[in-house]
Amino acid sequence: MAKITIAGGGIGGLVAAMCLHDAGHDIDVYESVIEPTELGVGINVLPHSVRVLDELGLLPALDESAVRTGALMFLSRDGTRIWTEPRGLDAGNPWPQFSIHRGRLQMLLWNAAASRLGPDRIHTGHRLTHFEQSADSVTAQFTERPGDRDVIVESDVLVGADGIHSVVRKQLHPNDGLPHPSGLVLWRGAVRAPAFLDGRTMFMAGDDSQKAVIYPITPPDDDGIALINWVAERPQDVDMATVSWNREVDVAEVARYFEDWDYGWLNIGALIASSDAAYEFPMVDRHPVERWSFGRVTLLGDAAHPMRPNGSNGSSQAILDGEAIAHALSEHDDVVAALTAYETARLEPTAKLTLANRQAGPERVMQWVADQCDGTCATSHDRAHTCIDSAELEREANAYKQLAGFDLATLQSMSVGQ
């Protein structure tokens, strides 16, 4: 049994805490937020990471809080269909895909971890400032708020799960610099509105010059109303030294870009305009690093591999990290060897995925159509593009799933192995 300190109580840190606890380790989580609340908008949790949550016994709670996504559509700006594929159980996977409010997932995991570890093992208002390690232990220094009291914690392992602005990563990689901008800005929001299509479909529309991503994050109620998550994306230069994160912006300013995007079954401009609030995020990542693990210290989740949201993989990969680090520490008596094994298992796959997402991931098929279609290459009976062969689109979709680890063959082999 190892005594493990986790800096960061986000999705990755909490899943790691539960996996490590179930493997028999002594876990404490330190989170900088004083009072966790349901903040944020929607995210997707893909089947390979749902497998981990299922093993933690969280599938019933997810079903109470989320939508089992049934299909993903890619559309051109005018709503003409490029590609549609089933998702989750509808695709024959052993586990579902969930669309859920990020804050709701965060609190679901928070409550599950507190129940599992004991509420006294999750410490709020603790911001990591520094760490030191020796051959035998690692010492982390936190500032506790309110009061700004210094707290010193000694353990066998320190896991930096402290996000894209990770203090642990900065100390391990002091020349890492600022996050890497993409030249794109996201505006995000969620609004209660009539469910569209079957109430379980997510879609992406547009091209590299403007894009919308929309999906429900609650099932429709008795009146057919669901909480709908929307993301709007446009090119915009960002000064990473001065950028404001999660800045609230005028909803009308975002909606005007989409006022003509009316597909009959959904008017995107009107959906955005009906929102109470919109928040601006620069789309960023960080360059992959050559190492996560240094002695008794390692990185996890966005601290290790912050990636662009193309492909909906960020949270899912953090969940997989939590399982992997628990497995490595169970396989190796020496914690340094275990953290090296964890890095070996997870660093290369996540680095490849980070770089693939810089090429827009599976969403790049929308730009293919924008480049190749002159507006006359859609069939009239079902409003579907014909300028790119469907076999080519399917190959692209499957290649990304294989890279990310949630292609059908991989998931089926995981199911058989359980």
Side-chain angles (χ1 to χ4, degrees), residues 18 45 65 116 131 137 140 154 177 228 303 314 325 380 401 418:
M18 288 187 279
V45 189
S65 302
R116 222 178 196 96
F131 68 84
S137 65
E154 185 174 353
I228 308 295
I325 194 170
S380 58
K401 291 174 189 174
Q418 285 191 329

Side-chain angles (χ1 to χ4, degrees), residues 237-276:
D237 291 331
V238 174
D239 183 349
M240 294 308 301
T242 61
V243 65
S244 296
W245 295 81
N246 203 23
R247 181 174 71 92
E248 187 168 355
V249 298
D250 184 359
V251 169
E253 285 298 302
V254 182
R256 68 184 178 88
Y257 292 119
F258 296 90
E259 58 187 9
D260 297 329
W261 292 35
D262 185 355
Y263 301 157
W265 47 269
L266 183 68
N267 184 316
I268 296 177
L271 179 80
I272 295 173
S274 66
S275 305
D276 292 332

Side-chain angles (χ1 to χ4, degrees), residues 3 6-7 71 75 78 90 100 137 167 197 203 219 226 256 273 277 291 295 301 350 361 372 408 412-413 418:
K3 181 173 176 56
I6 299 177
L75 309 173
D78 65 359
D90 292 66
I100 186 171
S137 65
V167 172
L197 300 177
F203 72 89
R256 68 184 178 88
R291 292 180 65 185
T350 55
Q372 298 183 39
L408 183 57
Q412 288 176 335
S413 67
Q418 285 191 329

Side-chain angles (χ1 to χ4, degrees), residues 36-167:
T37 56
E38 286 191 5
L39 297 176
V41 286
I43 59 171
N44 282 276
V45 189
L46 302 178
H48 54 344
S49 59
V50 172
R51 172 186 57 80
V52 179
L53 301 181
D54 186 19
E55 290 175 3
L56 290 171
L58 300 179
L59 205 57
L62 284 166
D63 271 321
E64 291 180 1
S65 302
V67 173
R68 289 194 176 205
T69 310
L72 169 63
M73 294 195 306
F74 295 107
L75 309 173
S76 57
R77 281 175 173 243
D78 65 359
T80 305
R81 182 168 55 85
I82 298 169
W83 171 251
T84 301
E85 64 178 33
R87 282 287 174 128
L89 298 181
D90 292 66
N93 294 317
W95 296 276
Q97 173 176 327
F98 284 106
S99 297
I100 186 171
H101 189 288
R102 174 183 284 275
R104 194 162 296 172
L105 176 60
Q106 170 74 19
M107 293 311 300
L108 184 159
L109 296 174
W110 186 277
N111 293 332
S115 175
R116 222 178 196 96
L117 277 65
D120 59 327
R121 290 304 187 98
I122 303 182
H123 312 269
T124 59
H126 284 71
R127 181 176 61 85
L128 180 69
T129 58
H130 183 74
F131 68 84
E132 296 178 356
Q133 64 175 310
S134 66
D136 300 319
S137 65
V138 57
T139 302
Q141 179 173 317
F142 296 88
T143 298
E144 183 183 10
R145 297 178 299 150
D148 291 335
R149 181 176 69 93
D150 287 338
V151 176
I152 307 299
V153 178
E154 185 174 353
S155 57
D156 299 312
V157 173
L158 171 63
V159 179
D162 48 344
I164 191 170
H165 302 294
S166 168
V167 172

